[in-house]
Amino acid sequence: MSQVEPAAAGADQAVEGAVVPHDEGVGGGGGGDVATTEAQVAVVVSTSGDERRVEYGDDADNEGEEAATVQGSKEGTEELLRKVVYSEEAAYKLYCDYGHRMGFSIRKGKQSYFTGTKRIRTKDYFCSKEGLKEGEKLTDANFNDPHTRTNCRAMVRFRVNDHGEWKVIRLVSDHNHNLARPEERHLLRSARSLIAGRSSSVEAMVYAGYQVQGGAPQLPAGSTSAANIVENSKQHLLLSYSAMAKTLAVGTGDLHSLVSYLKSRANEDGMFYWDVQLDQSGRMTNFFWRDGRSRIDYDCFSDVVVFDSTYRLSKQNLICAPFVGVNHHWQTTMYGCALLADESMSAFVWLFKSFLESMGNRHPQSIFTNLDQVVSKAIENVFPNTCHRIAHWHIQKNAHSRLGALNVSKVFNKMFTKCIQGCDSETEFEETWAQMIHEFKLQDNKWLKKLYKLKQKWCSALNKCTFDGGVEYEPQCDSMSNIFNSVADKLTSLSAIAVAVDKLSEDWREKELEEDTRCLQKPPSCIIKHSDILNHAAKVYTHRIYKLFETDFLDGCGATKFKELPCEDNNTHQFEMTMQGRGSRVCTVRLNMSTMELSCSCSKFETMGLLCPHALKALSIKNICKIPESYILKRWTKDAKKWVFNPKQYESSYQECMDDDAAYCNYVMHYAYDLVTKSQGQEELRKALWETLENGEKELEKYLGNGTQYAPSYAA
């Protein structure tokens, strides 16, 4: 175990990690690529590793007692900012603890004193990759090496008041390099003393490389020293210690509390589903759960799923991973949630299979995730026919830490954003990407090279025929990218996290109920009161979707120039449309008057399920006053949830119910559950449902009393 280094004199002593953070995938753990290495470190040019950044302040004594300033993400900073300590050692340990949770190692920095004394007034601690080493050139190969300094600006400053209280007054939380993954963090040098201090002697021996058999420590066979063990069995120790550390961090009581909560939910909700994965030793590692309402919502809106595995619970060292989608009001809806002990292939495959099983093995059309190769491979394994997309907000988040000084360039950001979602064709994308790479000299940027290889998963121009439900549009994009900010890392027990997730689901459902009520009370007001097509849209669509439709209608009819092209077929009309004030982009619309088939080269209907301004302009030109029925997507209508579980709506489903007992039970249970959830809010609705059930029971008894041909089936 490493010892706590001496204070001031050790300002140049690195407390560096013993592991190279994972950098196989494009996403990584928060990292820093080096295509723009020179730009990243150009802010400060240090001639010696001992020199410190001027902005960290030689005028620390002038700082007041105001609240701590935080520069960067506030994720996981609550305890660090709130806690008061009473010694330099405790302050160092507090920041080490924070660094361990986040995945970086610590370096001790400068300090100032009360005038005329040796009492510390302020003390700085830095990320171990702070500053630059004299003569060392930064490259892609060494940038994420834990021993390489990258001029990382992450730091903390403590101030000591007259009462000896150490409080954080400044925190810079963002790093310009990769952070260690959860299973690697115990190998960070500044974290080892923390682990040793919290662990038993057996745990310490495992960390040092000993095997424990029968309560006595032993060296592995064929080994001569603990040093050899660590060197030759690093990966084995990493996995075994990581598993032990997670088990100890969570605690048996915490697991039992979570299981008890999930069992109680299953007793309350007949359609509640939960699953747990066990490791080779029979210990619980990964959990998934969803309630009955989530299943109902998924049955209605299963076309798009967003899966986010970036929420980390630092206190338990677990991942909180929700499955969400969008409902008919374009609101976020919950499909389920998981707590994962690791990010292994087996964990994600298990989770996706459990999710599918809980949803009747219905695959989504599209699934959006963060940048993660392991998740991608698991999706290929479990969802082979689902279109896997990488969410734009995750790419932008990674770009912030990967591209350094380029993030402040408006020209670069405009081109990068255009590549992601502003190009109309593959040719335009390729031209824009090539121009961006050439103009900013990014030919050797490792992260962008990997991103380009995955272009089919994130470039909008290459996914114009894949439904996405508008999850990439503003403001839906902001909603999706901040799903669990109110939950993650603020609770101390697993059961409390599960309760908070379920409470968040209920809050979302309350908002959905409010919108349902609003839609039932009156249609949305039309900006053009006597427009037939707007009145038709107001009648069928929910309020929020209608407003999207109305905006496109106004853009199409009031701000679109057109040119009709000749067609051989008299029933077919073709138009070239140009939006005013939107550049010179031309969209081509084809309309068949006999079949009412409509298509546009912008493909908005294919991706969003709503007609675009160009198509609406074509309908207006030809005096078509209603939306063609085939272009009203039920998932956006007020009736999106009506008759979903009534098999009579579909002849094949109804026949299946009549022929198969299991299918019959499944449809009836879901149908009844949906009716029960709809009636829960009001007493009159409950009474109406009871009367309906009683009448149904009387009808069944009448049939049973009149003949015996029904008896065997119902008795079974």
Side-chain angles (χ1 to χ4, degrees):
M1 302 300 107
S2 63
Q3 301 298 317
V4 177
E5 289 99 347
D12 190 48
Q13 292 179 338
V15 189
E16 294 162 338
V19 62
V20 179
H22 176 79
D23 192 40
E24 293 301 317
V26 178
D33 203 282
V34 195
T36 56
T37 305
E38 301 295 333
Q40 287 176 332
V41 300
V43 180
V44 178
V45 179
S46 174
T47 59
S48 167
D50 291 317
E51 293 182 16
R52 299 294 167 204
R53 290 189 281 276
V54 175
E55 61 267 34
Y56 287 163
D58 293 329
D59 59 341
D61 288 324
N62 295 327
E63 293 180 288
E65 294 290 346
E66 67 271 26
T69 59
V70 179
Q71 180 180 334
S73 171
K74 293 185 179 181
E75 180 183 356
T77 64
E78 184 179 27
E79 181 179 358
L80 179 64
L81 298 175
R82 184 187 69 247
K83 196 165 184 179
V84 177
V85 293
Y86 295 90
S87 68
E88 180 184 357
E89 181 180 357
Y92 172 79
K93 183 176 180 294
L94 180 62
Y95 193 50
C96 281
D97 196 9
Y98 167 78
H100 181 217
R101 294 198 307 271
M102 304 308 295
F104 67 96
S105 210
I106 311 305
R107 178 187 302 279
K108 293 183 177 181
K110 62 173 18 177
Q111 57 203 33
S112 67
Y113 299 89
F114 284 94
T115 305
T117 72
K118 286 294 183 180
R119 288 174 52 219
I120 294 176
R121 175 64 166 163
T122 64
K123 178 70 180 180
D124 292 351
Y125 297 100
F126 302 94
C127 171
S128 65
K129 294 169 77 68
E130 180 268 347
L132 297 169
K133 287 184 179 178
E134 185 176 5
E136 182 177 41
K137 182 175 176 61
L138 295 180
T139 66
D140 283 345
N142 70 7
F143 194 84
N144 286 305
D145 188 298
H147 302 284
T148 300
R149 306 264 195 100
T150 63
N151 201 31
C152 180
R153 303 171 68 84
M155 58 84 68
V156 69
R157 170 170 293 160
F158 286 86
R159 182 174 181 140
V160 189
N161 63 20
D162 293 335
H163 305 291
E165 297 175 334
W166 291 60
K167 298 179 180 179
V168 173
I169 60 169
R170 185 183 182 195
L171 176 67
V172 180
S173 60
D174 287 344
H175 298 256
N176 69 348
H177 56 88
N178 280 353
L179 301 178
R181 295 175 62 148
E183 62 268 27
E184 301 167 332
R185 292 173 187 169
H186 65 282
L187 295 177
L188 294 168
R189 184 177 171 188
S190 62
R192 294 182 196 173
S193 59
L194 295 173
I195 293 174
R198 294 171 183 166
S199 305
S200 65
S201 58
V202 173
E203 208 177 340
M205 284 184 286
V206 171
Y207 179 80
Y210 290 89
Q211 293 179 344
V212 180
Q213 298 178 357
Q218 298 180 357
L219 290 174
S223 300
T224 57
S225 69
N228 287 338
I229 299 167
V230 174
E231 184 65 30
N232 298 331
S233 306
K234 182 186 293 183
Q235 188 62 30
H236 173 73
L237 290 172
L238 173 66
L239 294 172
S240 62
Y241 184 80
S242 178
M244 176 182 286
K246 284 187 172 71
T247 301
L248 293 171
V250 173
T252 305
D254 206 3
L255 291 173
H256 286 171
S257 176
L258 175 61
V259 170
S260 295
Y261 173 75
L262 297 177
K263 284 182 176 180
S264 68
R265 292 284 284 113
N267 288 333
E268 297 167 359
D269 182 346
M271 284 181 61
F272 188 90
Y273 178 101
W274 67 284
D275 197 4
V276 60
Q277 186 183 32
L278 306 178
D279 64 12
Q280 294 179 346
S281 301
R283 293 175 298 194
M284 294 178 286
T285 56
N286 302 315
F287 289 84
F288 169 74
W289 73 96
R290 63 116 182 101
D291 62 15
R293 177 67 183 275
S294 291
R295 172 62 192 270
I296 299 296
D297 289 339
Y298 186 81
D299 284 340
C300 297
F301 312 113
S302 60
D303 38 24
V304 178
V305 171
V306 178
F307 173 71
D308 195 337
S309 60
T310 63
Y311 296 99
R312 300 192 180 278
L313 308 171
S314 58
K315 293 181 177 67
Q316 295 84 5
N317 199 13
L318 296 174
I319 300 160
C320 187
F323 293 86
V324 300
V326 287
N327 64 17
H328 51 320
H329 301 294
W330 212 34
Q331 297 170 319
T332 307
T333 186
M334 181 71 71
Y335 295 148
C337 190
L339 291 173
L340 302 175
D342 60 56
E343 296 173 283
S344 65
M345 178 74 167
S346 61
F348 285 122
V349 167
W350 168 84
L351 173 60
F352 293 153
K353 286 183 177 179
S354 182
F355 173 79
L356 265 186
E357 179 184 314
S358 78
M359 297 301 185
N361 290 309
R362 177 182 290 187
H363 292 235
Q365 294 180 33
S366 304
I367 184 167
F368 287 79
T369 72
N370 51 300
L371 285 157
D372 192 303
Q373 285 187 348
V374 179
V375 170
S376 181
K377 290 177 181 177
I379 287 173
E380 291 175 10
N381 184 308
V382 183
F383 301 103
N385 299 318
T386 295
C387 178
H388 176 211
R389 302 280 298 278
I390 297 170
H392 293 167
W393 59 87
H394 285 299
I395 294 176
Q396 297 286 8
K397 184 177 180 180
N398 274 270
H400 179 74
S401 57
R402 297 282 188 167
L403 299 177
L406 281 176
N407 288 291
V408 301
S409 169
K410 293 183 179 179
V411 176
F412 172 80
N413 281 321
K414 184 177 180 180
M415 295 180 73
F416 188 56
T417 301
K418 182 180 179 181
C419 289
I420 294 174
Q421 57 187 6
C423 294
D424 192 48
S425 65
E426 183 173 3
T427 301
E428 185 180 4
F429 163 75
E430 295 291 353
E431 291 175 351
T432 306
W433 185 271
Q435 181 184 353
M436 179 186 73
I437 296 296
H438 174 75
E439 186 170 331
F440 292 93
K441 298 179 173 59
L442 299 171
Q443 291 83 356
D444 298 324
N445 187 288
K446 186 178 178 181
W447 184 72
L448 287 176
K449 283 182 178 179
K450 290 182 179 180
L451 190 64
Y452 179 79
K453 290 179 180 178
L454 298 171
K455 61 183 178 180
Q456 196 67 44
K457 294 182 182 293
W458 53 263
C459 177
S460 296
L462 306 181
N463 288 279
K464 298 182 72 172
C465 294
T466 305
F467 186 80
D468 60 29
V471 298
E472 301 280 27
Y473 297 167
E474 297 284 355
Q476 194 63 40
C477 182
D478 288 338
S479 174
M480 288 291 181
S481 62
N482 297 291
I483 296 168
F484 274 7
N485 282 352
S486 61
V487 175
D489 220 23
K490 294 184 179 180
L491 300 167
T492 56
S493 71
L494 299 184
S495 57
I497 292 165
V499 170
V501 170
D502 291 347
K503 175 62 168 61
L504 182 63
S505 300
E506 289 304 315
D507 291 343
W508 291 348
R509 289 162 186 169
E510 284 293 326
K511 293 177 182 178
E512 179 182 340
L513 180 60
E514 290 173 5
E515 283 298 307
D516 284 338
T517 303
R518 195 158 70 105
C519 288
L520 288 172
Q521 289 173 345
K522 63 178 181 178
S525 58
C526 298
I527 197 167
I528 304 176
K529 296 187 182 300
H530 301 294
S531 167
D532 290 338
I533 198 167
L534 284 184
N535 281 305
H536 182 212
K539 182 179 179 181
V540 297
Y541 288 131
T542 61
H543 282 230
R544 194 171 181 189
I545 298 303
Y546 168 77
K547 287 301 179 183
L548 297 177
F549 180 92
E550 185 182 73
T551 299
D552 283 345
F553 177 80
L554 294 176
D555 281 347
C557 294
T560 302
K561 296 184 292 185
F562 76 93
K563 175 184 177 182
E564 186 165 2
L565 305 177
C567 293
E568 295 180 1
D569 182 0
N570 292 331
N571 290 320
T572 301
H573 302 271
Q574 185 167 313
F575 305 90
E576 285 186 348
M577 303 284 188
T578 305
M579 299 285 288
Q580 298 174 21
R582 310 282 180 90
S584 58
R585 178 172 297 172
V586 176
C587 290
T588 303
V589 179
R590 290 180 64 88
L591 170 62
N592 187 301
M593 295 293 290
S594 60
T595 63
M596 295 311 296
E597 290 183 8
L598 188 62
S599 66
C600 180
S601 59
C602 78
S603 301
K604 179 170 183 176
F605 182 78
E606 286 76 11
T607 59
M608 178 65 180
L610 291 173
L611 289 176
C612 61
H614 322 105
L616 293 173
K617 176 72 170 182
L619 294 178
S620 178
I621 293 170
K622 292 301 175 182
N623 296 317
I624 298 172
C625 299
K626 291 187 67 175
I627 308 167
E629 287 299 321
S630 57
Y631 296 96
I632 299 175
L633 205 63
K634 184 181 178 183
R635 65 118 52 237
W636 296 131
T637 68
K638 299 172 185 176
D639 295 336
K641 288 189 169 184
K642 286 186 178 180
W643 311 112
V644 172
F645 306 104
N646 187 343
K648 289 185 178 180
Q649 293 293 299
Y650 309 99
E651 186 176 343
S652 59
S653 299
Y654 183 69
Q655 191 60 45
E656 182 184 16
C657 280
M658 297 297 101
D659 296 341
D660 184 88
D661 288 346
Y664 170 78
C665 290
N666 186 52
Y667 272 102
V668 171
M669 283 176 22
H670 286 192
Y671 197 0
Y673 187 93
D674 187 42
L675 294 176
V676 170
T677 56
K678 287 178 179 177
S679 67
Q680 280 181 329
Q682 300 181 37
E683 184 178 354
E684 290 301 317
L685 293 178
R686 294 186 182 190
K687 289 181 179 179
L689 183 58
W690 274 120
E691 291 176 2
T692 302
L693 292 173
E694 289 171 354
N695 291 334
E697 185 178 21
K698 291 176 183 177
E699 288 296 314
L700 286 176
E701 289 175 349
K702 184 171 68 174
Y703 277 115
L704 289 171
N706 290 338
T708 59
Q709 70 250 35
Y710 302 99
S713 174
Y714 284 100

